[in-house]
Amino acid sequence: EDQVTQSPEALRLQEGESSSLNCSYTVSGLRGLFWYRQDPGKGPEFLFTLYSAGEEKEKERLKATLTKKESFLHITAPKPEDSATYLCAVLAGGTSYGKLTFGQGTILTVHP
Amino acid sequence: EAQVTQNPRYLITVTGKKLTVTCSQNMNHEYMSWYRQDPGLGLRQIYYSMNVEVTDKGDVPEGYKVSRKEKRNFPLILESPSPNQTSLYFCASRFQGVGGYTFGSGTRLTVV
């Protein structure tokens, strides 16, 4: 069974204080790992797709990396508007090709 | 504007009264999916569809039905809703191959 575990559950940072969020996964035949941002009461917003170990993607203050067992979302010099829940998800291959499994998310709060 | 549209946004209903939540996408995506989101349980996949007339169960399909008669539409049907189906529901779509899902704005369902 595919599993995705995110840590920490919640993270409080001061503005400008860089940190990382972790996503550990077990999946049969990883087709892709996704990071999403979700604001309260809204649908998840797509951030990145990572396909293979060693791959990195960047967008503004966010950088996602991937190994064979986990992914990290690095947040450099965060601002209060980066406050949100960050979700990690994996897409498996084989017969469950359309099935996307999410982790529980990390609630990030950035204080000014 | 490329989007996934869900209706209604909010719905309060009584136990046993059949209801349908509609979902439509204008991006010509092959894959569509329904998720429910509950506190402490995260996003869980209900059903997904890989194309017209092709659907498969996700992690929590009990009590739900779906149909995919047209490529753009993927309604979620609750034949006899129960209070444990009170949740926030999201529809999502993506292209065939590996890519991120685009999510709708959500439907908050309360069954009393």
Side-chain angles (χ1 to χ4, degrees):
Chain A
E1 184 179 328
D2 304 333
Q3 283 194 317
V4 181
T5 304
Q6 292 186 245
S7 62
E9 290 185 14
L11 181 63
R12 291 173 173 266
L13 298 174
Q14 289 297 127
E15 185 171 3
E17 180 187 2
S18 302
S19 188
S20 296
L21 282 55
N22 177 263
C23 171
S24 299
Y25 64 91
T26 55
V27 63
S28 55
L30 179 72
R31 300 287 300 201
L33 184 141
F34 303 86
W35 282 98
Y36 286 86
R37 170 194 170 123
Q38 187 176 25
D39 294 301
K42 295 190 175 181
E45 176 188 344
F46 171 75
L47 293 173
F48 303 110
T49 307
L50 301 167
Y51 297 104
S52 57
E55 189 174 359
E56 299 181 352
K57 294 272 180 75
E58 284 190 70
K59 180 180 179 180
E60 295 181 358
R61 295 178 292 283
L62 300 177
K63 179 180 177 180
T65 61
L66 181 65
T67 73
K68 289 186 178 180
K69 294 183 178 180
E70 57 190 351
S71 176
F72 292 93
L73 185 65
H74 307 279
I75 303 175
T76 302
K79 299 181 178 181
E81 52 262 43
D82 294 322
S83 297
T85 297
Y86 289 85
L87 300 168
C88 172
V90 295
L91 183 67
T95 57
S96 57
Y97 191 64
K99 187 172 180 296
L100 194 64
T101 302
F102 279 85
Q104 301 263 3
T106 293
I107 302 171
L108 174 66
T109 305
V110 182
H111 296 283
Chain B
E1 181 188 351
Q3 60 185 1
V4 177
T5 303
Q6 297 178 228
N7 281 297
R9 288 293 312 276
Y10 301 91
L11 179 60
I12 300 174
T13 190
V14 296
T15 299
K17 185 177 181 182
K18 182 180 178 179
L19 67 91
T20 299
V21 183
T22 63
C23 174
S24 181
Q25 51 94 2
N26 62 0
M27 296 166 281
N28 202 33
H29 285 168
E30 289 83 12
Y31 283 70
M32 297 187 74
S33 184
W34 276 102
Y35 287 84
R36 62 177 289 174
Q37 187 172 37
D38 303 287
L41 297 175
L43 278 160
R44 293 178 293 167
Q45 195 170 40
I46 303 171
Y47 270 95
Y48 61 96
S49 169
M50 289 164 278
N51 215 321
V52 175
E53 303 290 4
V54 182
T55 62
D56 204 353
K57 296 177 181 178
D59 293 316
V60 288
E62 295 78 20
Y64 304 94
K65 284 178 60 177
V66 292
S67 69
R68 186 96 182 270
K69 292 184 169 58
E70 301 169 285
K71 195 173 185 179
R72 63 182 292 128
N73 296 322
F74 191 44
L76 180 69
I77 302 158
L78 284 74
E79 297 259 350
S80 183
S82 62
N84 64 12
Q85 293 179 296
T86 292
S87 186
L88 179 58
Y89 291 85
F90 290 103
C91 181
S93 71
R94 69 176 178 89
F95 282 115
Q96 192 174 9
V98 187
Y101 272 104
T102 299
F103 281 79
S105 299
T107 294
R108 187 167 293 280
L109 171 66
T110 302
V111 183
V112 298

